[in-house]
Structure formats: structure tokens, C-alpha cells
Amino acid sequence: MVSARRKALEKLWNGECNVYEWKEVEDPITFVTTPKEVTLHENLKCKLSHKNISATSQTGAGAIVVQQIKLSLGNEFEIPPGCKITVTQNGKTADYARSGEPGVFIDHQEIVLDVFKGWA
């Protein structure tokens, strides 16, 4: 049963995401195992948010600006480390990788992302 808090959160989630994992898959005909991209979840409602974090150094080299990318989605979905997450929001699509452990809350989870640079 979805709570009223969760329904209110989902009204703010204007994006969709697909989650992929790189794993060994056995061909049922040849029985050869090869690594492939496998879809774990499709069309999950989500919200992608960005936050700029700036820090100044003591050496006088200037400020360093880092952008933190965070994905909010339902906490019932398992998003393993190292997976690729394709997010479509506001007409733009981009690939990200899960960079850390999710912050799990009563009605949702928040995952800090990095830009996806390819499978390791």
C-alpha cells in the first residue's frame, strides 16, 4: 500500500529511469557465457536533482565547484553498485552510474550519481 506521503512525493517526480547491470549471461543455444548489459528495471518514476558544492582551498588556487547529482525514486527497487542508470527528465536523456550507497527513507531512496563513463 502506497502512503499519502509517497503519493505526494511522486507528484514531484517528473522523470523516468531505466537501470542496467553488466553481467555474465549464458546463451541458451550455444551455452557460451559472455558479459552483456542486462535490464534490471524499466520506466521507474524518479526525480533527478543537481546541487553545486563549492569549496575554497587554503593555497589560494581558487574555488573548486563540484556538482552533486542525486536521483530520488521508490525504495522498493534494488539498485546495485556499479550499475548504469539512464534518466529522461525535462526532454533530456543522460546516462549515470551509482556512486554510493543509497539514502533510504520511509517512502523513497536517494542515490548520488556520477556521469557514466563506460563499463569497467
Side-chain angles (χ1 to χ4, degrees):
M1 184 168 141
V2 177
S3 71
R5 284 187 310 258
R6 171 69 178 265
K7 287 180 183 178
L9 277 174
E10 286 184 355
K11 287 182 181 181
L12 301 173
W13 297 349
N14 59 347
E16 282 191 352
C17 68
N18 297 329
V19 181
Y20 306 96
E21 185 176 31
W22 188 257
K23 60 192 264 183
E24 299 286 323
V25 177
E26 182 180 292
D27 185 299
I29 297 170
T30 64
F31 301 105
V32 174
T33 302
T34 56
K36 291 186 179 188
E37 186 176 283
V38 177
T39 304
L40 297 179
H41 305 289
E42 286 186 303
N43 303 321
L44 302 181
K45 288 185 63 119
C46 66
K47 179 183 178 190
L48 193 64
S49 60
H50 300 80
K51 176 179 170 183
N52 288 330
I53 303 168
S54 61
T56 57
S57 67
Q58 296 294 328
T59 61
I64 299 170
V65 178
V66 177
Q67 187 177 61
Q68 183 184 57
I69 305 166
K70 186 169 48 175
L71 183 70
S72 300
L73 70 158
N75 57 4
E76 67 271 17
F77 304 108
E78 177 68 27
I79 311 294
C83 64
K84 179 173 95 172
I85 303 170
T86 302
V87 180
T88 302
Q89 182 173 290
N90 299 327
K92 294 186 179 183
T93 301
D95 293 330
Y96 300 95
R98 181 183 136 189
S99 65
E101 290 298 316
V104 180
F105 302 95
I106 293 172
D107 295 307
H108 73 289
Q109 64 179 322
E110 295 177 356
I111 303 170
V112 177
L113 304 175
D114 284 330
V115 174
F116 183 76
K117 297 178 178 124
W119 295 108

